[in-house]
Amino acid sequence: MNKLYGNVQGLKPSLKKKLGNLYRRRVPANRLYTAELARTLAQLSAEVGRPVSLLLARNGQMRAVAVGDAAALPVPEHAYLESRLSGYRIVHTHLGGGGLSAPDLSTLFLHRYDSIVALDVEEGRPTRAHLAHLVPPEAEEEDWRIYPARPWDAYLQWDYGAALAALEEELARRADLRELEDGSGERVILVGIDEGQGPEAELRLDELAELARTAGGVVVHRELVYRPTLDPRYAVGRGKLDELTSVAYHENAGTLIFGVDLTPAQAGAIEQATQLKVLDRTQLILDIFARHARTPQAEAQVELAQLRYLLPRLVGKGKQLSRLGGGIGTRGPGETKLEVDRRRIGERIHRLTREIERIAKQRREARKSRKRNRVPVVAIVGYTNAGKTTLLRALTRKGDAGENKLFATLRPLTRRGYLPGYGEVLFTDTVGFIRDMPPALVTAFRATLEELFEADLVLHVVDATADGALEHHRVVEDRLVEMGLEAPRLVVVNKIDRADPFDRMRLEEQLDGVAVSALEGRGLEDLASRIVRVLIGSGLPAQPWAQYDVRPMG
Ligand SMILES: Nc1nc2c(ncn2[C@@H]2O[C@H](COP(=O)(O)OP(=O)(O)OP(=O)(O)O)[C@@H](O)[C@H]2O)c(=O)[nH]1
Ligand SMILES: [Mg+2]
């Protein structure tokens, strides 16, 4: 016999059998329900004394029978498809009448059912029918349309198939329109949690937004939730989650990013409740590292951290894995391997650990025999959003014209530049620093910074417009010292086009920095000559032909 869902306790076997027989019913593909089905349903509900709910596939096949309200039905697997309907509908009874309830509507919405019908039952017979379906997201309006109550048999001749096809078409058309408007970029919603930190929580949310942007996301909504203690199950309240799900629908977002770290159980529960992709701060940061990893050592470390973080999140969860699909949180050296199972991941972790040891040994030996007379390397570091990448571009701008081969991009994040009176220099960009690096990621982060050890000079970019710029500087410098980085430093005070003159001066003085606007190209000559002085001071003489500032023919 087919399974009965919901509360079947205390039901007589004969009644259970009758309910089970509902599985044999079928509705023609273009009809909402048949007269026989409605009558049987009403009669059985009256006998049971509880509502009875049916889950029907679009082709009219019975998929599930539950004693209880719509929420008692199992959620169909693979029901959820971006911006489309799930292909399932719910037909159920209401013994007390009263139309569709709030839980009915939120079930409809969350699982994108094709439609939901409630049949009022009086004396074992159907009386009125209440119908609702989703509508394309509009500002200010409800996400569904509820039709006025009609006599139960009014829908028997209705061409449900055609109505549904029209609705799907409309939904798809709107989704296409939005895609055109947005351009690329994964649309994400940020959820910051204020556990009583006050303004600090706001800053952390700003930082989360920066991280999301760096990972290639488009932030369409930010929500700061005040919660002194996290909800053990959902981190935030259930009501808040429903709200966010609705925002996601209106904003066409498929991803929720939480500013706190979620336990594997929380992430799973939130995903289940919202049907959205759920990421936490650590996963977001891992994704950024994955984009910045470019040495074998860094790639191995990032993959290792990704797998370690992923492993506990895999328990009994084929579903979450398949949902990962693509986009933020799925990138990286291990990208293609995310599909493998737990055991294989365990093996991979083991192999990576050995690989990392091997590479480290190799590198120690390679460093000993580092070549003389090579092109000096200048690495750019700094807090996230300080303007490192903009500065790299500004310092190597001429390369963009693509005329001179000297300036051609070598690797995505290293470019050749030219310093007047000195010669060629390699500039290399790095991943931004952030406060509260998740402990699980420290090793991977350091690995992405490994190239710093090849640098002859480290440019430390400070954003003069940032609150706490001095503190950011200190955080970064402390970490560099911890890593044992000995290369000379030069502080670049950036964004002077927008900075308060007093802040700028204070930073310049306290950090002995060079003030620039990477965006407007101001102060770059001063910076170049400071760089040259440091390089020469560390025993890297100017290149012979460059002393006359004659540039070689490209
Ligand atoms: N006003 C102004 N904005 C700037 C300047 N330099 C960079 N920005 C802006 O600051 C933002 C961050 O710049 P990026 O160069 O991406 O910063 P980053 O340090 O590479 O950031 P991450 O790689 O995310 O750590 C961008 O919106 C830039 O346009 C500047 O000199 N003046
Ligand atoms: Mg950058």
Side-chain angles (χ1 to χ4, degrees), residues 93 165 263 273 308:
T93 51
T263 65
R308 285 201 175 129

Side-chain angles (χ1 to χ4, degrees), residues 72 86 161 310 506:
S86 72
L310 188 66
R506 203 169 49 121

Side-chain angles (χ1 to χ4, degrees), residues 63-377:
R63 284 301 162 81
V65 177
V67 175
D69 226 321
L73 288 166
V75 176
E77 281 296 317
H78 312 300
Y80 180 77
L81 298 161
E82 278 297 310
S83 75
R84 293 196 49 222
L85 299 172
S86 72
Y88 294 88
R89 67 177 172 278
I90 292 176
V91 176
H92 73 313
T93 51
H94 277 184
L95 292 173
L100 291 160
S101 64
D104 284 344
L105 293 168
S106 72
T107 302
L108 168 76
F109 174 68
L110 270 184
H111 303 302
R112 303 256 168 116
Y113 286 120
D114 289 355
S115 62
I116 186 166
V117 180
L119 293 167
D120 290 344
V121 176
E122 278 165 33
E123 290 165 9
R125 269 193 280 269
T127 56
R128 283 168 308 275
H130 308 268
L131 171 72
H133 62 67
L134 293 181
V135 291
E138 300 279 0
E140 311 304 327
E141 273 176 38
E142 293 287 13
D143 302 324
W144 44 71
R145 179 179 306 140
I146 306 172
Y147 290 82
R150 300 223 167 103
W152 75 278
D153 52 2
Y155 287 111
L156 292 178
Q157 295 309 313
W158 183 44
D159 191 346
Y160 173 67
L164 207 53
L167 176 60
E168 284 244 284
E169 206 170 283
E170 176 71 3
L171 286 169
R173 203 173 54 79
R174 297 292 185 93
D176 285 351
L177 271 183
R178 277 157 172 260
E179 226 144 76
L180 280 179
E181 284 165 10
D182 301 343
S184 56
E186 182 170 338
R187 295 171 66 84
V188 305
I189 291 177
L190 305 183
V191 188
I193 299 186
D194 178 357
E195 295 173 83
Q197 299 98 333
E200 172 73 15
E202 191 69 56
L203 285 178
R204 292 185 60 106
L205 190 58
D206 288 343
E207 187 184 87
L208 192 68
E210 276 314 318
L211 293 172
R213 179 187 63 81
T214 305
V218 177
V219 177
V220 295
H221 181 82
R222 320 163 30 137
E223 186 91 16
L224 189 57
V225 185
Y226 178 73
R227 262 204 94 92
T229 50
L230 288 189
D231 182 80
R233 191 161 154 75
Y234 295 117
V236 297
R238 183 59 216 247
K240 180 57 75 180
L241 277 191
D242 287 349
E243 229 173 79
L244 290 168
T245 312
S246 182
V247 173
Y249 184 63
H250 283 265
E251 296 290 347
N252 197 26
T255 306
L256 285 182
I257 301 179
F258 280 75
V260 293
D261 282 339
L262 303 170
T263 65
Q266 282 169 335
I270 297 169
E271 194 160 288
Q272 187 69 41
T274 61
Q275 300 291 305
L276 297 167
K277 179 163 103 184
V278 175
L279 296 175
D280 63 16
R281 185 166 176 270
T282 298
Q283 281 168 302
L284 182 60
I285 296 169
L286 268 172
D287 192 82
I288 295 169
F289 287 180
R291 292 182 153 211
H292 280 260
R294 54 214 136 114
T295 62
Q297 171 82 354
E299 285 182 1
Q301 290 284 10
V302 171
E303 183 178 348
L304 192 61
Q306 282 182 320
L307 294 180
R308 285 201 175 129
Y309 202 72
L310 188 66
L311 199 57
R313 284 162 172 74
L314 287 182
V315 193
K317 261 217 233 145
K319 201 171 160 225
Q320 191 184 13
L321 260 194
S322 61
R323 166 101 28 88
L324 283 174
I328 302 175
T330 64
R331 262 184 298 259
E335 188 167 351
T336 52
K337 289 140 204 144
L338 290 182
E339 280 139 38
V340 304
D341 62 33
R342 254 177 93 76
R343 187 178 53 81
R344 303 254 313 276
I345 289 181
E347 282 165 13
R348 177 92 189 136
I349 289 180
H350 188 69
R351 247 186 306 135
L352 279 170
T353 316
R354 280 206 318 250
E355 172 81 2
I356 287 164
E357 279 165 23
R358 193 184 59 76
I359 302 172
K361 198 164 145 222
Q362 229 175 37
R363 291 186 57 88
R364 276 196 298 273
E365 274 148 26
R367 208 170 286 158
K368 278 188 215 146
S369 58
R370 227 165 110 181
K371 266 201 254 138
R372 291 273 104 210
N373 297 333
R374 60 199 170 78
V375 180
V377 176

